[in-house]
Amino acid sequence: MARPKPALRTTASITTAVALLAGAALAAAPAATAAPGTAPAGSTAQGLTFHDIPGSGGITLKGNVFTPAGAKAGAKHPLIVFPTSWAMPQIEYLAQAQQLADSGYVVVSYTSRGFWLSGGKIEVAGPPDIADASAVIDWALEHTSADPDRIGMGGVSYGAGISLLAAGHDPRVKAVAALSGWADLIDSIYSGRTQHLQAAALLGGLGLVTGRPGDELTRTLKDFLGSDLDKEPEMIAWGKKRSPATYLDRINANGAAIMMGNAWGDTIFPPNQYASFYDKLTGPKRLEFRPGDHATAEATGLLGLPNDTWTSTRRWFDRYLKGERNGVDTESPVQLKSRTDKGYEGYPDWKSVGTVKNRIPLDGTKKVWANVDSGANGGIAILSNALDQFLKLPPTVSVPLLPRTFASVWQSERYATEQRIRGTSALHTTATSTKPSGTLVAYLYDVGPLGVGKLVSHAPYTFHGQTPGRPFPVDLELYSTAYDVPAGHRLALVIDTVDPLYIEHNPTGAQLTFSSPGTDPSHLSVPLREK
């Protein structure tokens, strides 16, 4: 049955969603002005040709093609296919496509089905989208100088997810560059069994503004935002069908070389699910994490400006589609950039990141009233972590001023040396609720001498079906990150029950108690880079 939800909280959630939808419409307006697909099929503009490409099920996809200049008749060239990001038109990759074509690639980009002037409805990387990717490859092999033995796919966000899925369904795909994408859709927007409100509202709003949502998407989004627990198994099954992790065995069997890149603060597809998927890949692979939010790490490259992510992407394709010995396969395959440092760090694998564990005890018993935002929160989707990326301004809070009635706070000692956090912090505690359902959000802060805390990481956690008054264990992984805590600072863990990023499930009058039994002490494990 659907959980009870106080009117005030319902109004706040709807207000947040409406605000995001309005922002999405404004953000999409400039793109609409420049929307492609208006050029006749086969027309040319500055070396770029626009085409109507047959998709699966008889629909038409609006696409464009870059061909290497001066290509000799009969010569074959490696092919790269770029499906567009969610709500983006086919001109999204023009700058990068031109650079790739200049270096000898045939590049085909197409507007994903259901968006702009492409046919069909939005299927959220469902089977029709996967079939579209193969249909575009078929078309490219017939109508361009593409080499059937050297085919790659890539893209940002939605294009990344479709590319990974295609690698598990079409063995012709030999290399993938999946940027700011997802491997597990459920673990992305429903992590901790908590709906990511702003992420879902943003995606839903952009879909309405720029495309035609399918009936399945409309129904699933309604059930998701409406917190209909009776529909939870259906929603999870819907997400698993659209998750590359579900097809891991096929992806490994096909053997495509896979590069994955993401931002530490991605509020649409948090980094944990990418790292988990990367660990299970058995073919050639590379994982890169950088500061920023969803797609902000790639944004300047889409404008044609120098960009580390796109440089790595070109090197990856050059190695695995052209066979160039450029060293990308001999470097440490895991490359991380700290949010507080300019350099990159290389690791042999993900488990080698943050091997030293700093265990912070969470002693005592603390009780909080639910349903009130203490002031600690994860910020605003896209905006807050972009500010952190470009201006080093993460969400902040005055830790001494947090109301202990609504937030539980624990602090470490002051550190004599810099603490270089790398990887995934893990919370273990014992909770007791006065209600069967509830939501808590854990935040990790870097606290300076004046008590100002800068957000290092956070994550939500929702429970259902607990017996009121009976303690139960809580194990929660915070979002992975790389952050350097200066000497003289301390770390603070804050737990409250409301965050605008998420839908919370706290009934009216609920209280949560956090304790640390002697037989099972509560703690926060913080991973650190070896000195």
Side-chain angles (χ1 to χ4, degrees), residues 357-380:
K357 307 299 181 184
N358 176 20
R359 188 181 174 105
I360 301 174
L362 308 177
D363 297 329
T365 299
K366 300 180 187 292
K367 180 182 294 185
V368 298
W369 287 89
N371 301 311
V372 177
D373 192 340
S374 70
N377 65 69
I380 300 172

Side-chain angles (χ1 to χ4, degrees), residues 105-397:
Y105 292 92
V106 172
V107 185
V108 178
S109 178
Y110 67 94
T111 303
S112 300
R113 70 162 50 221
F115 290 104
W116 298 100
L117 298 180
S118 279
K121 293 187 177 182
I122 302 171
E123 302 289 346
V124 195
D129 292 290
I130 302 171
D132 284 345
S134 292
V136 171
I137 292 174
D138 292 341
W139 180 89
L141 292 176
E142 182 178 352
H143 293 88
T144 74
S145 59
D147 185 340
D149 295 321
R150 295 185 291 167
I151 298 173
M153 287 193 66
V156 177
S157 186
Y158 198 46
I162 292 174
S163 296
L164 283 175
L165 287 163
H169 289 79
D170 194 328
R172 295 176 296 180
V173 178
K174 304 302 183 185
V176 170
L179 313 177
S180 289
W182 76 93
D184 187 325
L185 192 56
I186 296 300
D187 199 32
S188 294
I189 62 174
Y190 195 48
S191 67
R193 208 180 177 186
T194 308
Q195 298 102 315
H196 294 211
L197 170 64
Q198 291 187 16
L202 182 60
L203 293 173
L206 284 169
L208 285 171
V209 170
T210 63
R212 300 167 300 284
D215 293 341
E216 192 176 12
L217 168 59
T218 301
R219 182 175 63 254
T220 302
L221 190 60
K222 178 182 177 182
D223 294 339
F224 183 81
L225 294 175
S227 302
D228 190 343
L229 291 179
D230 288 341
K231 299 292 186 180
E232 185 180 48
E234 293 178 28
M235 291 186 286
I236 291 175
W238 177 88
K240 285 188 177 298
K241 184 187 293 186
R242 292 158 170 80
S243 296
T246 300
Y247 310 100
L248 176 67
D249 289 346
R250 295 188 195 179
I251 293 172
N252 284 334
N254 288 344
I258 295 178
M259 172 189 146
M260 303 163 65
N262 204 358
W264 293 120
D266 195 320
T267 45
I268 308 294
F269 304 126
N272 302 44
Q273 47 92 31
Y274 242 25
S276 177
F277 180 74
Y278 170 85
D279 266 349
K280 300 179 180 69
L281 292 172
T282 57
K285 58 184 180 178
R286 183 178 178 93
L287 179 67
E288 300 185 353
F289 284 138
R290 298 177 174 85
D293 206 308
H294 185 65
T296 63
E298 300 85 21
T300 55
L302 292 174
L303 298 175
L305 301 174
N307 180 278
D308 290 350
T309 304
W310 285 104
T311 296
S312 292
T313 296
R314 289 193 294 273
R315 294 178 68 214
W316 191 252
F317 284 140
D318 286 348
R319 174 66 187 90
Y320 290 102
L321 296 182
K322 288 184 176 180
E324 292 184 2
R325 297 290 179 177
N326 55 20
V328 72
D329 57 329
T330 60
E331 300 168 355
S332 297
V334 176
Q335 294 286 323
L336 310 181
K337 187 174 184 181
S338 169
R339 289 163 48 199
T340 47
D341 184 48
K342 295 182 179 180
Y344 284 89
E345 302 166 0
Y347 298 85
D349 47 45
W350 179 251
K351 67 176 179 291
S352 299
V353 176
T355 54
V356 177
K357 307 299 181 184
N358 176 20
R359 188 181 174 105
I360 301 174
L362 308 177
D363 297 329
T365 299
K366 300 180 187 292
K367 180 182 294 185
V368 298
W369 287 89
N371 301 311
V372 177
D373 192 340
S374 70
N377 65 69
I380 300 172
I382 309 299
L383 176 61
S384 296
N385 291 315
L387 289 174
D388 181 35
Q389 174 186 0
F390 295 111
L391 301 177
K392 297 294 183 288
L393 294 174
T396 60
V397 70

Side-chain angles (χ1 to χ4, degrees), residues 23-35:
L26 291 174
T33 302

